[in-house]
Amino acid sequence: MKSCYDCPRACGVDRSKQKGFCAEGDKIRVSKIIENFMWEEPCISGEKGALAIFFSGCNLRCDFCQNYQLSHIGKGQEYTPDEFALLLSSFDYTKYNSIDLITPTHFSSLLIEAFSKFNSPVPVVWNSGGYENEDMIERLSEFVDVFLPDFKYFSSDLSTSLSNAKDYFDISSRAILKMRECKKKNIFKNGILQEGVLIRHLVLPTHIDDSKKILDFISKNISEPFISIMGQFTPMGKIIRDRLKPLEYKIVLSYAEKLGLTEGYFQDLDSSSDKFIPNFD
C-alpha cells in the first residue's frame, strides 16, 4: 500500500511509513475474533452465530463508539493479505452462518487482495460505518455478499462534532445507494441473508429529528429497504452524556412505520448497557 485512498478521507499518506486517520498502517490488524457471535441481527447470526472478525482502527472513530478499545486505542495481530487469507481458510464454516467483518473500511484494498485468495462457503458481511467510496463498494461487491452499513447522521454539524466528518451524509448516502445498486435484492435462505443490504441506524439522544431525516431518505431513495433501528446508545464519549429515552425511541419507530419502513428489526432499550459490549482484552 502506498498513498491511502481506501476511504473518503483520502489521507494520501503512505501507511507503510505513517499511520492514517484510522490509526493503522499497511497491514490488516485484527483485534479479536469471536466464534459463534450472536449479537448481530438474526438474519446475520442465526442459530449458529457468525464468525466475527473485529478489526483495529476506524475511519470514523466516533466519540460515542462502544468498541473504543479497538477504534481509538488500537491493538491486535497484524496480517499481510496472504496471511489473512490463510487465517480465513483455517476455520470450519459448518459452525457459522456468516463471516462478519466488523469495521473493515480502512483495510478495503488489503481485504480485496486477501479475499481474491479465499472463496467463502458462507455469506461475507461488510459491517461498516457507511462512510465509504462508491468505487470501492463496487470492487468490494465481488466478494461481499451482504452490506451492513450504519447510516449515522443527516446533520453535518452532528457528524462533524461526533465523527469529524462534515460530509458524512453526502458520502454515506451515495455509498448506500451504490450498495443497493450492487445488491439489488435481499435474498434469504433458511432465514439467513445470503445477499443484500441491511441498513442500520442508531437513534441518538436528543437528536430524533436527525433520525427522521435519515428515514425520509431511505424511504424515498432505497428500493425494498431492509432496516435495523437501534436504541442501544451507551454514553461512552465526552459529547453526548445522556441515555436514549424510551419516548424518543418510540417516536422514531412510529415515524418509520408511518413511512412504511416495516421490514427489519428494532431493539429493546435494555440493550443500551455496557454489559452488551464484547470484552476486547
Side-chain angles (χ1 to χ4, degrees):
M1 178 185 291
K2 295 298 181 184
S3 295
C4 177
Y5 298 99
D6 273 17
C7 85
R9 292 195 187 276
C11 295
V13 301
D14 181 347
R15 280 167 53 186
S16 67
K17 300 176 181 177
Q18 177 184 348
K19 291 184 177 180
F21 176 89
C22 61
E24 290 300 321
D26 66 340
K27 291 185 174 63
I28 299 166
R29 187 149 58 138
V30 175
S31 286
K32 194 174 187 70
I33 297 176
I34 301 179
E35 299 187 48
N36 309 111
F37 189 65
M38 301 297 291
W39 294 356
E40 304 288 30
E41 284 75 5
C43 66
I44 300 298
S45 55
E47 293 183 359
K48 294 180 182 178
L51 176 66
I53 302 176
F54 291 83
F55 296 96
S56 180
C58 182
N59 74 325
L60 284 171
R61 307 181 75 196
C62 303
D63 175 73
F64 55 87
C65 182
Q66 292 186 354
N67 297 345
Y68 189 92
Q69 293 167 275
L70 312 188
S71 61
H72 289 66
I73 298 173
K75 60 181 180 180
Q77 176 67 44
E78 289 187 333
Y79 298 89
T80 65
D82 284 348
E83 290 168 342
F84 188 72
L86 286 174
L87 173 68
L88 291 171
S89 299
S90 68
F91 293 96
D92 176 3
Y93 288 98
T94 63
K95 296 180 179 179
Y96 321 111
N97 281 316
S98 64
I99 298 176
D100 191 7
L101 305 176
I102 300 174
T103 319
T105 300
H106 48 300
F107 295 122
S108 293
S109 296
L110 297 170
L111 290 170
I112 287 171
E113 186 178 345
F115 274 90
S116 72
K117 300 173 174 65
F118 171 75
N119 185 22
S120 176
V122 295
V124 175
V125 179
W126 191 259
N127 187 339
S128 74
Y131 193 58
E132 321 258 3
N133 286 326
E134 291 173 83
D135 60 337
M136 190 63 80
I137 293 297
E138 194 155 1
R139 292 176 60 200
L140 289 166
S141 67
E142 294 184 13
F143 76 84
V144 170
D145 301 293
V146 176
F147 286 105
L148 182 60
D150 289 334
F151 203 179
K152 294 176 181 287
Y153 319 106
F154 181 88
S155 163
S156 60
D157 289 340
L158 195 58
S159 63
T160 299
S161 64
L162 295 176
S163 297
N164 195 27
K166 183 177 182 179
D167 58 355
Y168 178 88
F169 177 78
D170 179 54
I171 294 293
S172 296
S173 60
R174 288 191 277 115
I176 290 171
L177 287 172
K178 175 59 73 172
M179 292 173 188
R180 177 44 99 198
E181 180 184 319
C182 293
K183 308 293 179 183
K184 293 180 171 55
K185 296 285 185 180
N186 292 327
I187 302 171
F188 295 84
K189 181 179 179 181
N190 298 325
I192 303 300
L193 189 57
Q194 304 295 303
E195 182 175 315
V197 181
L198 172 54
I199 303 169
R200 283 173 165 171
H201 175 68
L202 175 65
V203 182
L204 299 176
T206 73
H207 293 289
I208 61 174
D209 285 343
D210 203 71
S211 293
K212 289 180 178 181
K213 291 173 182 177
I214 289 290
L215 295 176
D216 282 335
F217 178 88
I218 293 172
S219 175
K220 293 174 183 177
N221 296 280
I222 305 296
S223 63
E224 299 181 28
F226 188 40
I227 63 173
S228 177
I229 302 178
M230 302 182 294
Q232 67 188 40
F233 182 84
T234 303
M236 303 290 289
K238 300 177 181 178
I239 297 174
I240 300 178
R241 300 303 304 157
D242 299 320
R243 291 190 180 274
L244 185 67
K245 295 180 174 62
L247 180 58
E248 291 177 307
Y249 189 55
K250 184 177 180 180
I251 289 171
V252 173
L253 293 183
S254 295
Y255 192 73
E257 185 176 3
K258 177 181 176 182
L259 294 175
L261 297 173
T262 57
E263 294 297 318
Y265 306 98
F266 61 91
Q267 292 180 317
D268 294 323
L269 286 187
D270 60 7
S271 65
S272 58
S273 167
D274 55 11
K275 72 181 180 181
F276 290 96
I277 301 172
N279 181 5
F280 295 109
D281 291 335

